Amino acid sequence: MAPGGLPYFDPEYESLSIRINPPRVSVDNTSCADCTLVKVDSVNKPGILLEVVQILADLDLIITKAYISSDGGWFMDVFHVTDQQGNKITDNMTIDYIEKALGPKGHTADESKTWPAKRVGVHSMGDYTAIELVGRDRPGLLSEISAVIANLQFNVAAAEVWTHNRRIACVVYLNDDTTSRAVDDPTRLSAMEEQLKNILRVCGDDDKVAHTKFSMGLTHIDRRLHQMLFAEMDYAGKGRTAEADCAAFLELKISIDRCAEKGYSVVTVRCRDRPKLMFDIVCTLTDMQYVVFHATISSDTPYATQEYYIRHVDGSPVNTEGEEDRVIRCIEAAILRRVSEGLSLELCAKDRVGLLSEVTRVLRENGLSVSRAGVTTVGEQAVNIFYVRDASGNPVDMKTIERLRKEIGETMMVNIKKSPSSSSKAPEARNRMSFSLGSLFERFLP
């Protein structure tokens, strides 16, 4: 046994098992009329389900159905997937990537080189420095953060920002404007860190609630954001009343039952379907130290039903009412972190220092609060998406929308629309615009 009573897995034995029984991956476009089947058979190992789902999510594939079985030494999955438009996966490069990433080479090669997906880490970015920020959210906070970065002449190449239950977590990738390389001046970095901490402390937060740090790991960025908000206990009851008016919250149903015969706990989730729903749930269960042995996923537009047969890594099911309540709250939080009520603003402009600060300042001055944001750079173009809502909680009026078009539209391309989660239509098939850091970071990996 490993320290803490957890099962010990010898990495050399795991590598040997994979070499003897390499994963078998097939991408099947003939068995189903309206979707592509991705089948994975592999030696079972800790975290393998999350790895597979993560790769499919990073490719922005929609999982309409899935059947998971990993009880014992073998892992067998079947995923029914489509692209964002609901079509089969016919692009040869995408198919080739799936087969390589999920196949033997993907399991035995260096992960940071084989899977150029969304990651957190200063070393993995080459010319970019990554910084993490966590604190209590408030209107205008993102504007203040971006202003500090701009004033120090740092350029934001990419960023992901999530808010939930009055908390904010963001990962920002930046470089020096003069050298276009990672920031290596400890004095400037220290000044930025201190100024950002002061901003996060404005609401009376102490260092336990508001903090910044320079990231050194290789954690997938979406998983890292989940971990950051989980560590801040955004799933706790206090402050959750704001979600009572959220349609996604009202439609979300989570239950946990016992399968006494097999010693499993059965987690059933029914909610409005959306991209990356399965990733968010599996990520949360994995980071809470639960193992998924079986699962069935189905989508009956616009709703999804997902059922997971789980045990804790120590082999026990969910035993107490307190543990059951915590699991439900954590899954609920994981689902709602990516839900955005209100408007989405899609912006494209020539990249420059202070662009993020300029845009967020205009949003703040118009009484809008950013609930989620994705910022990336493609060549010389900054491509950003902001999910915004009225800071007072009221619907965003048309006058505000027109002011935004006038103020921002003079210097950049702007597309303003109702966010997918506010619509009665299935968001899975309608979410055309995807902002993945993977395409940006892939350029910096050897």
Side-chain angles (χ1 to χ4, degrees):
M1 297 290 284
L6 300 180
Y8 174 72
F9 293 90
D10 187 334
E12 290 297 325
Y13 176 78
E14 179 183 304
S15 177
L16 177 62
S17 297
I18 291 172
R19 290 197 298 270
I20 294 174
N21 299 292
R24 296 191 298 272
V25 180
S26 69
V27 179
D28 177 5
N29 270 319
T30 60
S31 297
C32 188
D34 55 3
C35 66
T36 298
L37 271 59
V38 178
K39 304 174 183 178
V40 183
D41 293 340
S42 170
V43 172
N44 198 11
K45 66 172 185 176
I48 187 171
L49 176 60
L50 179 58
E51 290 179 10
V52 174
V53 174
Q54 176 179 299
I55 289 171
L56 298 178
D58 284 341
L59 290 169
D60 293 315
L61 301 182
I62 306 304
I63 300 173
T64 58
K65 290 182 182 179
Y67 306 96
I68 315 298
S69 180
S70 60
D71 200 348
W74 204 253
F75 172 82
M76 294 176 288
D77 284 7
V78 179
F79 297 90
H80 296 234
V81 301
T82 68
D83 62 17
Q84 292 283 320
Q85 287 72 42
N87 302 316
K88 288 185 176 184
I89 314 304
T90 56
D91 177 67
N92 289 330
M93 289 184 63
T94 302
I95 293 173
D96 185 59
Y97 178 77
I98 292 173
E99 291 176 341
K100 287 183 177 178
L102 298 179
K105 292 183 179 179
H107 285 76
T108 57
D110 184 318
E111 180 179 319
S112 66
K113 296 181 181 180
T114 306
W115 296 341
K118 300 186 291 182
R119 297 189 182 87
V120 176
V122 59
H123 292 308
S124 67
M125 295 306 103
D127 291 339
Y128 292 81
T129 299
I131 184 169
E132 300 176 357
L133 302 96
V134 181
R136 295 197 186 280
D137 190 28
R138 67 175 188 277
L141 180 57
L142 182 58
S143 175
E144 296 176 40
I145 290 171
S146 55
V148 166
I149 294 172
N151 289 339
L152 290 169
Q153 294 300 300
F154 295 141
N155 184 51
V156 177
E160 287 280 340
V161 182
W162 288 5
T163 66
H164 178 248
N165 199 7
R166 303 177 186 176
R167 292 166 176 82
I168 184 171
C170 56
V171 179
V172 182
Y173 295 87
L174 45 83
N175 60 16
D176 191 314
D177 179 50
T178 57
T179 64
S180 297
R181 298 188 64 82
V183 184
D184 56 7
D185 183 345
T187 302
R188 293 175 68 198
L189 289 174
S190 178
M192 177 177 64
E193 187 173 13
E194 189 58 35
Q195 289 182 46
L196 291 174
K197 282 183 177 179
N198 289 335
I199 289 173
L200 293 170
R201 290 193 194 108
V202 167
C203 288
D205 295 337
D206 57 25
D207 285 332
K208 293 181 180 179
V209 179
H211 57 84
T212 66
K213 74 173 184 177
F214 296 99
S215 177
M216 303 293 287
L218 277 173
T219 306
H220 184 275
I221 191 170
D222 287 3
R223 184 177 186 184
R224 184 64 192 132
L225 288 165
H226 276 304
Q227 291 173 341
M228 291 162 67
L229 287 170
F230 175 79
E232 295 300 310
M233 297 180 65
D234 70 323
Y235 56 84
K238 187 177 180 180
R240 293 168 71 243
T241 54
E243 291 171 349
D245 296 327
C246 172
F249 178 75
L250 295 174
E251 295 174 328
L252 176 58
K253 306 296 181 186
I254 305 173
S255 63
I256 299 180
D257 300 304
R258 289 290 299 271
C259 179
E261 184 180 345
K262 296 290 186 180
Y264 298 126
S265 290
V266 185
V267 179
T268 304
V269 180
R270 180 168 173 78
C271 63
R272 185 172 290 274
D273 203 1
R274 63 159 175 78
K276 303 186 180 181
L277 178 62
M278 184 178 183
F279 170 83
D280 292 337
I281 295 172
V282 172
C283 178
T284 298
L285 289 172
T286 302
D287 285 336
M288 292 182 73
Q289 301 293 299
Y290 290 99
V291 179
V292 176
F293 289 88
H294 302 279
T296 57
I297 311 300
S298 63
S299 178
D300 182 15
T301 305
Y303 297 99
T305 300
Q306 305 197 2
E307 193 173 67
Y308 298 89
Y309 291 73
I310 67 170
R311 294 192 195 115
H312 196 268
V313 291
D314 63 9
S316 63
V318 177
N319 283 318
T320 66
E321 288 187 9
E323 184 183 4
E324 179 179 315
D325 182 67
R326 183 169 180 268
V327 172
I328 290 175
R329 285 179 179 269
C330 288
I331 294 175
E332 176 186 284
I335 293 171
L336 294 175
R337 285 169 195 150
R338 218 189 283 264
V339 170
S340 301
E341 300 285 328
L343 296 178
S344 69
L345 279 69
E346 300 162 359
L347 311 174
C348 183
K350 186 173 182 179
D351 189 33
R352 65 181 186 276
V353 171
L355 178 61
L356 180 61
S357 176
E358 175 187 328
V359 173
T360 52
R361 174 185 57 79
V362 171
L363 296 178
R364 183 192 68 205
E365 290 175 351
N366 281 278
L368 298 178
S369 178
V370 177
S371 61
R372 191 159 56 93
V375 177
T376 190
T377 308
V378 181
E380 296 184 349
Q381 295 295 309
V383 186
N384 307 334
I385 184 167
F386 298 90
Y387 294 91
V388 300
R389 59 193 173 208
D390 189 280
S392 62
N394 299 317
V396 181
D397 59 44
M398 289 304 298
K399 291 182 179 179
T400 301
I401 294 174
E402 291 307 313
R403 283 199 305 271
L404 287 175
R405 289 189 188 277
K406 184 177 180 179
E407 292 184 52
I408 300 177
E410 293 180 356
T411 58
M412 63 190 76
M413 294 174 58
V414 183
N415 183 25
I416 302 176
K417 62 182 182 181
K418 201 171 186 181
S419 64
S421 57
S422 300
S423 172
S424 59
K425 295 183 180 179
E428 287 279 20
R430 299 188 322 105
N431 191 15
R432 301 287 192 271
M433 199 161 189
S434 173
F435 289 81
S436 170
L437 299 180
S439 58
L440 170 68
F441 297 157
E442 185 173 5
R443 293 185 285 131
F444 308 123
L445 295 173

